[in-house]
Amino acid sequence: MREALEGSLAIARAVAMAKPDVVAAYPITPQTHIVENLSKLVAEGDLHTEFVSVESEFSAASVVLGAAATGARAYTATASQGVLLMSEVLFNIAGLRIPLVMTVANRAVGAPLSIWNDQSDAMAVRDAGWIHLHCASNQEAVDTTIQAFRIAEATELPVMVCMDGFVLTHTMEVIDMPGQAQVDAFLPPFAFSRALDSADPRTVGTLVDPGWFAEMRHSHHAAMGRALGVIEKVDADFAKLTGRASGGLLTVTGDPDARVGILAMGSVVGTLEAGLADFGTEAGTARLIKLRAFRPFPARALREAVAGLDTLIVIDRAISPGLGGIVGSEVSAVLQSMTAAPRVLNYALGLGGRDIPESVYPALIAAAANPLAPRFAVFDADLDKLMPEDR
Amino acid sequence: MVQDSTRLNGLRAKHGRPPAGPHEPQAAPSTLRQGQPRFRGLEAGHRACQGCGEALAARIVMENAGPDVMVANATGCLEVFTTPWPQSAWRVPWMHSLFENAAAIASGMEAALKARGRNTKVLAFGGDGGTYDIGFQALSGMLERHHDVLYVCYDNEAYMNTGIQRSSSTPHAASTTTSPAGKERMGKRHLKKDLLSIIAAHHIPYAASASVAYPADLARKVRYAMGIEGPTFLVVHSPCPLGWRHASALTVEVARRAVECGLFPLVELERGALTNIMPIRTPRPVVDYLELQGRFAHLFDETDTRAIEERDHLQALADHNILTYGLAGTGDDPVDTTGIAHVRRGGPLAERT
Ligand SMILES: Cc1ncc(C[n+]2csc(CCOP(=O)(O)OP(=O)(O)O)c2C)c(N)n1
Ligand code: SF4
Ligand SMILES: [Mg+2]
C-alpha cells in the first residue's frame, strides 16, 4: 500500500513485519525515531517482541548477539558514536557468524561533534565482517530491511542496513509498504542451525590458537564471497514478489554511452540522478553507478559496470585522514586488474551534513574534463575558512 | 525448571542422572564416578592451575544449577582454561563473547528464551575484573531491567588471566603486577570495592557472597538463587594459588581463613536488606590469613613500620565487617564457620534452607 511516511516510521514498520523475537536499542540522533516508533508499536500491541531498553549501545549489540545465538530473530539500530561504542561487539557478532540485522542511520563521528549525516560511522567498522548494504531511498531502506533478515539468515552473517541520517530517516516519502502476507511468504520463521539449546549443549566463542585462527578468518572471507550471490538472489526474489528490486549489488543508470561515470552510495545517488536530468544536456551526461553492497565488495560487477569509461568519479561520504577516500581507494584497487581501467577521481562530499545540492553534478563533470583535476579532494570544503597551512 | 518431563528426562539420561518421577530400584553403578549423584556441568580435564579456586567454585555452581541452563561467560581464566578450541569442558550451552558484556549477553539469551517460550535458566559468569570493573555497567543494566539471570562473580581479587593485575576487588595492600610492593609503595593503595552493597542498591530479589571453603553453603545459595525468577547475584571468593602466591594445596584453607578473620564476610541480601550471615565461631586474627600468601609478604617485614600499620589497617577493615554485619558468633552454631564444615545427613542444616 502506498503511503506518505517518515523514513524512520517506515523502517519501524518494516522491522515489525519481520516479526523479530528480540529488539534491543539505545537512542541516538538520527536513529532515535526508529526505536521510538518500535517502542510505540510494542506499546500498542502491534509488535510482539522482547524489547530490551538497554543502558548503552554496547549492551544493545551484546543483547542482540546473545539473543540471536539463542535462536531469536534479533534487531538493533544505531548511528555514529553508537556504532563506535558497539564496535568491539560488532567484530564479535560477525566473527561468531551470528545472523542479525542492524540499521545504521549514518551520521558523522566526532570530534568535532556533529549530529548530521555522512557515512564515517559505517566506514569505521567496515572490517568488522558484516554485510553492508547502502540505501538510496526510503523505499529501498524498507525493502532492504526485510531482505536483510533473509540474507542474514541464509548466510549466517550479520547485515548492516545503512541509510543516511536525516536525509532519509527524517524525510517523508511516498512508500509502497509490502503487506504482512507478502513478508511472511518471503521470510520464513528463523531456524538457526547453531542455536544454543540445553537439550543439545554446544560451546560458542572459544579461545583459538594460531593453528586455527587463519582458517577461521579465511572461512569468514569465503562466506562473504558467497554472500554476493545471496544478496542478488534475495533481491531478485523480492522483486518477483513485490515488483520492486532494491539494486542487487550495484545498479547502473544514466547514460550508458557516457565516458564519465560517477559512483556513489546512499541518498546522494538521488541528487546525482536529479543533477543529470537537470544539467545533463548542458554539462554532459554520465553513467551513474549506485553501489548498494559495500561488503562484500562486488569487484567483478564493478569492473563490468565501469567498462568503457575514461573517468570514474567516486564519491566518498567519509574520509580517512592521511589517505583520502575510502570507497575511492577500494574501487581503485579492484580496477587495477582491468586492461583499460578508467582514471579514478575520488571526492569526499557532504561531510558532517554539508548540503549536497544538485549543482554538484555539473561541478563533478567539469572536474572529469580537467586533466589536472586532483585525484582526491574534499570537494565542497571552503578552504578560505582555514589557516593557510591547512589549505 | 523444565516443565516438559520428556525433555527433562532426555537431559537427565544424557547426563547420567535417574529419570524424574518415582524411582525404580537402580542397578548398582559399576564405578564410583557413574554412581555420583551429581550433574557435571563443568567437566574435569580442563586446563586450570592446580588448586584453582575458580575451577572449584564453578564446578560446585554447575552441579547445583543443573542441566537446564545456559551460560554467558566473560573473558578471563575460567573462559580460557575451559575452552581451548576444539575442546570444551562444558556440558551445557555455553557462550563467550567479550570481557565486559557477559551480563548483556545473558540478558539477550534470557529475552530470546522468553520470546521462544523456553524455561531454561540463564547464568552469567565473570571474574572480579569482568564484574567489579569493566563489565559493571552491563551488570547494573541487567539487574535494573530485572532479567531472570543468575550472575556469578568468581572473585580471585585480580586480573589473573592477563597476569595478576590489580582490580577494584584487589584487597588493600595486596601486591599485584600493577600494584607491586616496593620502596615507595605497600601494594594496592586503595580499598576493595564493596560491590555487594552496590548490587544491593538495585533491590534485586537475592544477592549473596559465598566461598569455596564452604561448599555446602555455596550449594545452598546457588539452589536458592535458581529458584528465584528475576535477577540474582553471587560473589564467590575463589583463591588463586598463582596470583595470591600460596601453595596449591591450601586453596580451601586460605579461603576459610578469609571468612574466619572477617575480611570476606558471607552474607545474604534480599531486596537490598540483609537477611542472613554466616557467623564466625571464633574470629581469627587477619595475619593468619595474610601469612599464607605471597601477595602480602611485604607486610611481614618487622623492621618496616609501614608493614605493621598496613596489617593493623587490614585488621581494622575485618573488625569493621564483623561489626557492621554482626558476624561474631554466639557459641556453637551448626551453621557458623566451624559448624557448617561438618558433614551432616539431614539435620540442622535443613532448617536453614
Ligand atoms: C576490552 C578488553 N580489555 C582487556 C582485555 C584483556 N583481559 C582479558 S581477561 C582480563 C582479566 C580478567 O580478570 P578477571 O575478570 O578478574 O578474571 P580472572 O582471569 O581473574 O578469572 C583482561 C584484562 C580484554 N579481553 N578485553
Ligand atoms: S591463574 Fe589463578 S584463576 Fe587462573 S587458572 Fe590459575 S589458579 Fe585459576
Ligand atoms: Mg580475577
Side-chain angles (χ1 to χ4, degrees), chain A residues 21-22 50 52-56 58-59 62-72 88-89 92 96 195-209 212 216, chain B residues 7 11 14 67-70 79-80 83-85 88 90-98 100-101 104-105 107-109 111-116 118 120 137-138 141 145 147:
Chain A
D21 300 300
V22 176
E50 283 298 319
V52 188
S53 284
V54 282
E55 83 297 333
S56 69
F58 197 90
S59 283
S62 302
V63 164
V64 290
L65 165 54
T70 311
E88 193 192 7
V89 192
N92 205 249
L96 292 170
L196 294 170
D197 180 354
S198 60
D200 182 19
R202 66 176 71 230
T203 292
V204 175
T206 66
L207 176 74
V208 166
D209 71 20
W212 275 101
M216 290 188 181
Chain B
R7 188 153 169 265
L11 285 171
K14 199 174 164 83
D68 195 10
V69 298
M70 64 177 66
E79 169 255 329
V80 169
T83 62
W85 171 271
S88 172
W90 299 94
R91 287 199 183 275
V92 297
W94 178 97
M95 175 169 168
H96 161 253
S97 166
L98 296 168
E100 64 277 44
N101 69 354
I105 293 286
S107 301
M109 288 175 165
L113 291 165
K114 216 189 258 176
R116 304 180 71 214
R118 301 287 183 85
T120 301
Q137 173 181 320
R145 294 188 303 269
H147 290 278

Side-chain angles (χ1 to χ4, degrees), chain B residues 127-129 154 156-160:
Chain B
D128 49 292
Y154 298 100
N156 53 22
E157 303 187 324
Y159 301 159
M160 296 312 176

